[in-house]
Amino acid sequence: MLQQEKSEIWPSEAGSNTQPEDQTNTKWRVLVVDDDADVHEATDYALARVKILGRSLELIHALSAGEALKILHKQPDIAVILLDVVMERPDSGLRLVEEIRAEGYREQRIILRTGYPGDAPEKEVIRDYEIDDYWSKDELTRTRLVTSLTTAIRSVDYIRALKGTRNGLEMVIEGTQYLYKNKSLDLFAEGVLTQLAAILRVSPEGGICALAQLPDKEDELVVLSGIGRFAPHVGSKLFEVDDIDKDLVFQSLEKGRVPVVAENKLVFSHQSETGRRLLIYFVHEQILSQQDVVLTEVFVTNLAICFDNLALITELGELAFVDQRVGIPNQNAFDRELMNITRSDNDDKSEALVAMVAIEDAAQFAIAFGVTYFDQIMNAVYERLRAVAGDNVLVARVGEYTLGLVDSSGKFEVSAAENIFDEPFEVAGSPVVVRATIGVVRGNPQGRRSSDIQRAARLTLLKQKQKGPGGTAEFEPSMADEVQDSLRLIGRLRQAVQDRVLTFVFQPKVRLATGEVVGSEVLCRWMDDGEPVSPGRFIPVAERSGLSGEITFQCLEAVRDLNQRLQQENLPPLKAAVNLAANDIADRDFVDQLLAVCHQHGLGPETVSFEITETQHFTNDGEATACVQKLAAQGFEIWLDDFGTGYSSLTHLDVSPVRGIKIDKSFISVLSADSRPSHVAETAAGIAQTLGLVSVAEGVETRDQHAICQEHGIEFAQGFLYSAGLYPDKYVEWLKNWNLNGWADHGRS
């Protein structure tokens, strides 16, 4: 039986057992295991008014080892077990100790009490079993019992504090593992509050972790995490929360890294080098001791370092997904969103829409008004597009002049994107009219690679732009086939250029008035695996793939060979016109190499002229004009090809040093004796005469067209009426036999 000490008065025992316990209901639970009912009664009496570490005791009773184990399973938060050794069996208590520890209950402290110390010798029991104290019931006075319990409960308290600290640290570590996810800062904030409560070994009444994204914006501190009574305020502004001590918060903001402690409140704030402000507001049940305050200071110092690292990494993450010039989502953000919808198995994302929106005339805006001005245009388009798209649709900058759009639901109406360009945009205080071309891909993204979807969207945009500026196109599988064919064509053409298997024909150019042959145009021909490939197909491919320059140099070799052949036949050399690609003529290095090749082959202005296709857009005040002027300065004639079908015709004529124009065959083919109104061809010829230029009619196929062109004042012509393009041998033969009076179908072959 428990020995009573009637004369001993414990200060913590004051008051009746019937008085209300503390409102937090955090009693220490003690499991009493003994088969003697009198022991249970005596223990209740002895511990009725005892408080340990400020908390009262709750005694739970079990009369056997089996019953005790069941209670422990249901209430694992038991702090101390007062355990009898001898119950059903002489070693029931010892067996129960082994079972408790074997099942993983390491936190509970176990105090053995026995009425038969000889059956369980103290030395052997303490050595062989994981217990915390051992008493003979005859020796265990009330004082010794309370002392033993206090020691055991203090151990449990520290164990639980360490466990809480570990849990808080685990949450912080979890946050660092997911820094690039939206909730990384939330996890960090939640972990901070949990860890603070564990370190101080207090039960928080409430806590707030708030964040301000920008320097000197403390009034915009937003609650990231809240516990206790502050839990409902997550997402609110800190100063909109009524139940906080705002004066204490302002003190913390002024002090910086030093925690402010006032009674049961603790506030700490820290501003990282990136400008983010972190603030912790913590309310607990009891006044902190000086030791707790010191511990808190150590904790917040480490917390500041951790937050600095987190803030820096978070900012780097944001920089990786934001266009730094405009401040909108960038290509990385677009790739991430596209990857998310291709990997998701959510039924809502079975259909998706991906679009590319290219701003037309963007390069002209940037050149004329500067890159900063165009960035303002890009931002204005982004804001208007995002407004009609909504928060669930990502809009990002995916190119210098292009915005990308990803709608995981596929419900966005493309017409809404088209309509935003109906009204001018306000840029730098003035309205600006902006046009755009749009490429769209729809369908089920699951199981498809995000790169394939993006490639399809860019391909669709490209195909639409090739048709002309503006408009919208939706992806069709045939487009991919066309691209594959184009890629294969590039490979074969590159090999053909390398193997020098391209051939060149010469189409005569005659003077309309006399029929005199004044020169020719050199045209490239290609037989691919025995089949002819249309120049209209492979020449643009050559220009886009950088092969046009080498083809030009091989063309000059053909001109050299023809002149040598003419010399052998005692025929005078004739000037041959060589076409230059726009991307080549804008390259000073190419022009220098072009002049060097001409000199190498003995080709001067009397034997070579150059034609620039007007449909290929180049600026008059840029590199292209400078290169054209350099050729003209060397005496080479420059002709503007396909006149009337391209860009800025009159400007080219006024600024560029051209010798004459070649009127496109589309304006010549409509000429006939039955319909003789004024035509574009006549107007073009008149412009040339006014400017002192020479004109050439392309694509003349009938005698009527020949006569009408002559009447309009056009000086020269070429076309099937005179001859198709001829290989050098046939061209020489044609030249020997040609005369104006016998032209009927003379040159067709």
Side-chain angles (χ1 to χ4, degrees), residues 158-362:
Y158 278 108
I159 289 171
R160 290 180 176 176
L162 290 173
K163 184 177 180 181
T165 301
R166 184 190 64 188
N167 292 338
L169 288 171
E170 286 176 351
M171 296 191 72
V172 174
I173 293 171
E174 183 180 0
T176 60
Q177 291 175 341
Y178 300 98
L179 289 177
Y180 295 103
K181 292 189 176 181
N182 293 334
K183 294 184 179 180
S184 60
L185 281 172
D186 298 340
L187 288 171
F188 176 79
E190 183 180 349
V192 166
L193 296 174
T194 303
Q195 186 178 358
L196 184 58
I199 289 175
L200 299 178
R201 302 189 306 281
V202 297
S203 177
E205 293 182 3
I208 287 175
C209 186
L211 181 75
Q213 297 283 1
L214 299 173
D216 303 322
K217 293 290 184 180
E218 283 82 3
D219 56 331
E220 297 182 3
L221 280 159
V222 176
V223 179
L224 280 187
S225 178
I227 58 175
R229 65 174 184 257
F230 298 123
H233 295 287
V234 173
S236 303
K237 288 189 176 180
L238 177 66
F239 291 107
E240 293 176 356
V241 180
D242 295 330
D243 192 17
I244 64 169
D245 188 335
K246 295 181 174 61
D247 292 336
L248 206 61
V249 171
F250 283 120
Q251 288 183 41
S252 176
L253 293 175
E254 292 175 0
K255 284 192 173 183
R257 297 191 176 191
V258 180
V260 177
V261 179
E263 296 181 344
N264 66 330
K265 302 180 184 69
L266 183 150
V267 186
F268 159 73
S269 71
H270 171 70
Q271 188 173 41
S272 71
E273 293 182 359
T274 63
R276 286 178 167 85
R277 169 75 70 178
L278 174 72
L279 185 135
I280 307 296
Y281 184 91
F282 194 78
V283 183
H284 47 89
E285 291 180 324
Q286 62 196 51
I287 297 176
L288 299 181
S289 66
Q290 183 59 36
Q291 181 179 358
D292 289 333
V293 173
V294 173
L295 183 60
T296 302
E297 291 177 350
V298 175
F299 166 69
V300 297
T301 300
N302 292 334
L303 174 63
I305 296 172
C306 183
F307 177 70
D308 283 342
N309 291 336
L310 177 61
L312 179 60
I313 294 174
T314 301
E315 180 164 333
L316 289 174
E318 292 173 355
L319 291 175
F321 294 98
V322 175
D323 183 275
Q324 296 306 297
R325 278 172 37 195
V326 186
I328 65 177
N330 62 6
Q331 178 72 56
N332 291 337
F334 183 85
D335 293 340
R336 179 176 60 180
E337 183 69 12
L338 197 55
M339 191 172 297
N340 286 341
I341 67 171
T342 57
R343 291 178 175 177
S344 173
D345 56 0
N346 190 332
D347 292 338
D348 294 338
K349 296 181 180 179
S350 59
E351 293 293 325
L353 179 145
V354 177
M356 295 284 178
V357 181
I359 298 176
E360 294 297 332
D361 301 322

Side-chain angles (χ1 to χ4, degrees), residues 3 33 47 64 111 168 191 257 295 353 393 483 489 519 547 580 582 588 598 626 631 669 678 700 704 717 725 727 744:
Q3 301 298 312
V33 186
L47 301 178
S64 67
I111 300 174
R257 297 191 176 191
L295 183 60
L353 179 145
V393 177
V483 171
L489 186 67
L547 297 172
L580 298 180
R588 290 179 182 267
C598 287
L631 290 175
S669 62
S678 177
V700 176
D704 288 342
Y727 287 103

Side-chain angles (χ1 to χ4, degrees), residues 24-73:
T24 54
N25 193 27
T26 55
K27 300 177 182 180
W28 297 111
R29 286 181 171 169
V30 178
L31 177 59
V32 182
V33 186
D34 201 301
D35 60 354
D36 188 340
D38 290 341
V39 172
H40 289 280
E41 183 179 351
T43 304
D44 277 340
Y45 178 78
L47 301 178
R49 294 180 297 167
V50 172
K51 285 190 176 182
I52 298 176
L53 301 182
R55 295 159 61 180
S56 57
L57 306 179
E58 177 185 348
L59 270 57
I60 303 170
H61 300 278
L63 296 174
S64 67
E67 183 182 356
L69 198 57
K70 290 179 180 178
I71 292 173
L72 188 59
H73 289 163

Side-chain angles (χ1 to χ4, degrees), residues 457-467:
R458 293 186 182 277
L459 169 63
T460 308
L461 177 66
L462 175 63
K463 298 295 289 185
Q464 181 61 28
K465 287 174 71 70
Q466 289 176 346
K467 295 179 181 179

Side-chain angles (χ1 to χ4, degrees), residues 620-636:
N620 292 308
D621 56 347
E623 289 291 312
T625 299
C627 291
V628 168
Q629 291 172 342
K630 187 171 186 177
L631 290 175
Q634 296 294 321
F636 292 97

Side-chain angles (χ1 to χ4, degrees), residues 64-99:
S64 67
E67 183 182 356
L69 198 57
K70 290 179 180 178
I71 292 173
L72 188 59
H73 289 163
K74 293 180 180 179
Q75 295 182 324
D77 61 338
I78 288 171
V80 180
I81 302 173
L82 296 175
L83 178 59
D84 187 16
V85 175
V86 180
M87 290 181 288
E88 308 99 305
R89 300 172 51 149
D91 60 349
S92 293
L94 298 180
R95 287 176 177 269
L96 181 58
V97 172
E98 291 181 328
E99 288 188 65

